[in-house]
Amino acid sequence: MRIELGPVTRIEGHLNVRTTVEDNVVVDAQCMGEMFRGFEKILEGRDPLDAQQITQRICGVCPYAHAIASSYAQEQAYGLTPPANGRILHNLVQGANHLYDYLLHFYQLSALDFVDVTAILQYQGKDAGLRHLKSWVQAELASGKPYPAAPFLPRLSGTYLTDAQFNIGALKHYLEAMEIQKKANRAAAIFGGKFPHSTGVFPGGCPQEARIDLITAYQSLIREVREFIHQKYLPDVAAVAAAFPEYWRIGVSQGGFLSYGLLPRGPKVDSERLLAPGVLLDGEVRPVDFEAITQDVGRARYASGSGLTVRDSELRPAPQKQGAYTWIKAPRYQGRMVEVGPAARIMIDYAQNHNPTVRTLVDRFTKQFDIKPAQLNSVLGRHLSRAICAAVIADFLLSETERLDPGAPTMADINIPATAEGFGATEASRGALLHYLRIENHKIAKYECVVPTTWNCSPRDDKGTPGALESALIGTKVADPAEQIESVRIVHSFDPCIACSIH
Ligand code: NFE
């Protein structure tokens, strides 16, 4: 039986996933990005300083990650190192964007896969937000509309959390999380100029001053976000994990893991990072080599060469290509499939015994749930890893503000050479993000982005190996092949962004 799960909702963009189910088991899966955009072509011939502005338009959710990756690539090309304040401001805006994105993903995009929204009908309390939600759901259900209470109802059939008080509490957090996301975005905009698309992130730093009033405004917003992470987000993820322990074994991807590391602790882009980079293959972490990254297009709608390195990549659309089923390319590391994202970040950092808070939190939760760190490769593992990233980043951002030197420069002078190239690698919330640019005659001659969801939602490569999400779906037992709540929970755990993946 062949089932199209698309368009999968509660993700960024419009992903289609085709599954083939036999005897209630997914035996095949194909991820399909069904649109071409061509950002890399748009960049050709432009002033290099347009790149960190234009690439942000790839996405409204992770724009700062694109601004940062582009800035790192340009810094390498220009031989530029920001002043200490400049790199700290980069970190402050990028880190705040991560916090917003994790909360958005857990509460708005995933929680209602587990939380029973109909519990609101039992609510008798006085909270204005919950009372409003209750009366709205009641009115919608009474309206006779074919899709009452969208986007909450109707929903996929399956088992949801049964404790009414917990469900109502989680719905309260669902509403509060939106206010907290606003605070994270406001914090990012203090030094980034605005959200979503920053006007204030450049190679070499940020033009905003490091003024005391701005620093204290940033701190007070991030403190509120941090408190929500500890008081609500981590406990809510843990409660879902306690109720659905089978999801430590569901949605396991079948390759390695890649992380470029997140948030440099010094002005140089290759300074030690808050979360350590690495490639985890065959149980061993190795250093990342950008030259080992290639992209296959055998099953993608491109006439470009297959297996080309980042530097040699091509973008030649071929909408009618036989045998192709997606506009997403298939990036591979040493020819091998890897998963990127929060679980990769945490597993790679933990395996290197690098960040002490990561170690403490992973040890605490693996003990609490009686799992191994390798089981972070699962639906629950990805949700928990995001919450751990959020806790670690929030602490780091507050400590970074203490290192700002008020009044000292926040940006380096920029001189664009006639000819140069640069790689810029960071972690977007969804995973490893690489930008590459080559400059000729002071203009962009070539630009290439290798983006997190391109890795995770990649199609088969030229050897026939499925992408990370495809591999995590294959083998899943589904109670109802027509609805497949299990498959949708797996897709959501990757937090795909199709806008980014096709870029
Ligand atoms: Ni459009 Fe993005 C992806 C992230 S890349 S959301 O994939 O996170 O920066």
Side-chain angles (χ1 to χ4, degrees):
M1 180 189 215
R2 207 178 224 208
I3 301 286
E4 306 263 340
L5 297 179
V8 181
T9 56
R10 295 207 209 107
I11 63 164
E12 314 300 333
H14 314 278
L15 172 71
N16 191 8
V17 178
R18 179 180 294 154
T19 57
T20 307
V21 179
E22 285 172 12
D23 298 329
N24 288 69
V25 174
V26 176
V27 294
D28 193 17
Q30 292 181 322
C31 288
M32 293 176 278
E34 304 196 305
M35 188 168 85
F36 175 76
R37 297 180 79 198
F39 265 80
E40 287 128 337
K41 283 277 167 223
I42 294 170
L43 284 155
E44 282 174 14
R46 289 186 179 264
D47 187 309
L49 275 176
D50 288 350
Q52 79 287 344
Q53 301 302 330
I54 290 176
T55 55
Q56 287 187 72
R57 271 67 188 177
I58 289 173
C59 185
V61 182
C62 65
Y64 282 24
H66 287 288
I68 292 288
S70 181
S71 297
Y72 289 179
Q74 291 179 66
E75 284 172 14
Q76 191 183 59
Y78 309 160
L80 189 68
T81 301
N85 272 353
R87 184 68 73 216
I88 293 171
L89 293 190
H90 273 180
N91 288 344
L92 296 187
V93 296
Q94 187 186 7
N97 191 186
H98 270 248
L99 301 184
Y100 147 72
D101 207 345
Y102 297 135
L103 294 172
L104 168 77
H105 175 258
F106 183 69
Y107 287 98
Q108 274 64 49
L109 304 182
S110 292
L112 297 186
D113 287 351
F114 302 99
V115 170
D116 181 4
V117 73
T118 65
I120 197 65
L121 298 171
Q122 298 175 46
Y123 182 63
Q124 300 295 344
K126 296 204 170 1
D127 180 89
L130 289 177
R131 284 168 72 107
H132 180 76
L133 183 62
K134 178 183 175 180
S135 55
W136 175 75
V137 171
Q138 273 172 332
E140 284 277 304
L141 290 175
S143 69
K145 290 180 192 165
Y147 296 104
F152 302 143
L153 296 170
R155 61 181 175 184
L156 298 175
S157 36
T159 308
Y160 290 83
L161 283 157
T162 51
D163 180 331
Q165 284 319 307
F166 178 80
N167 280 319
I168 291 169
L171 290 170
K172 185 162 161 53
H173 299 168
Y174 178 102
L175 300 175
E176 284 174 19
M178 290 192 265
E179 294 302 315
I180 298 293
Q181 286 161 43
K182 242 193 269 176
K183 291 179 198 287
N185 289 342
R186 278 202 196 120
I190 287 174
F191 296 111
K194 70 180 180 64
F195 187 87
H197 299 116
S198 170
T199 46
V201 175
F202 288 85
C206 295
Q208 180 58 282
E209 294 168 88
R211 286 199 329 251
I212 299 278
D213 58 328
L214 300 179
I215 297 169
T216 51
Y218 181 94
Q219 287 169 331
S220 74
L221 289 163
I222 295 297
R223 277 197 199 105
E224 285 186 73
V225 180
R226 181 186 182 279
E227 190 180 320
F228 186 89
I229 291 165
H230 285 275
Q231 306 290 325
K232 297 174 181 170
Y233 180 26
L234 273 164
D236 284 345
V237 174
V240 167
F244 293 88
E246 66 275 23
Y247 278 89
W248 291 117
R249 296 183 304 278
I250 294 176
V252 178
S253 72
Q254 303 295 319
F257 299 88
L258 168 70
S259 166
Y260 296 139
L262 178 64
L263 304 178
R265 289 180 187 273
K268 287 191 190 314
V269 93
D270 56 2
S271 311
E272 189 223 336
R273 294 188 177 192
L274 173 70
L275 295 176
V279 192
L280 180 53
L281 289 171
D282 307 321
E284 199 183 303
V285 180
R286 305 165 202 178
V288 179
D289 175 8
F290 301 142
E291 307 293 340
I293 296 168
T294 52
Q295 297 182 88
D296 283 357
V297 295
R299 309 304 299 278
R301 296 192 183 100
Y302 298 97
S304 322
S306 208
L308 299 177
T309 62
V310 175
R311 198 181 257 117
D312 294 331
S313 59
E314 298 175 345
L315 193 70
R316 287 189 278 132
Q320 309 299 338
K321 181 169 157 182
Q322 288 297 315
Y325 59 87
T326 179
W327 288 100
I328 303 173
K329 292 182 178 180
R332 292 295 183 261
Y333 191 90
Q334 289 175 343
R336 295 174 64 179
M337 181 270 279
V338 296
E339 174 178 337
V340 302
R345 273 200 285 287
I346 294 299
M347 285 196 283
I348 286 166
D349 191 276
Y350 183 86
Q352 298 174 89
N353 202 2
H354 173 257
N355 184 301
T357 314
V358 167
R359 177 144 288 265
T360 305
L361 290 173
V362 171
D363 287 345
R364 187 212 295 173
F365 286 109
T366 49
K367 195 163 165 223
Q368 180 178 342
F369 294 111
D370 193 21
I371 56 159
K372 301 206 161 39
Q375 284 179 270
L376 294 176
N377 175 10
S378 62
V379 168
L380 289 175
R382 292 182 196 99
H383 289 301
L384 179 63
S385 297
R386 273 187 202 92
I388 293 175
C389 284
V392 173
I393 291 169
D395 282 350
F396 179 68
L397 297 181
L398 290 172
S399 70
E400 280 284 82
T401 60
E402 305 286 341
R403 288 186 275 276
L404 279 169
D405 181 3
T410 56
M411 217 178 130
D413 289 338
I414 298 172
N415 292 301
I416 300 176
T419 308
E421 69 165 2
F423 286 89
T426 185
E427 287 288 302
S429 2
R430 286 161 193 75
L433 175 64
L434 181 65
H435 282 207
Y436 166 78
L437 95 164
R438 190 164 63 240
I439 298 170
E440 288 167 15
N441 279 331
H442 303 278
K443 299 274 189 248
I444 297 173
K446 161 144 209 76
Y447 208 95
E448 180 66 21
C449 308
V450 188
V451 178
T453 302
T454 316
W455 287 97
N456 284 341
C457 290
S458 76
R460 261 63 173 172
D461 58 31
D462 293 1
K463 290 190 291 213
T465 308
L469 173 53
E470 291 180 342
S471 79
L473 286 163
I474 294 170
T476 303
K477 287 199 185 108
V478 293
D480 176 352
E483 294 208 8
Q484 291 183 39
I485 191 170
E486 301 85 356
S487 298
V488 172
R489 284 170 173 161
I490 294 170
V491 174
H492 283 166
S493 75
F494 279 87
D495 191 11
C497 174
I498 298 313
C500 275
S501 68
I502 49 177
H503 57 279

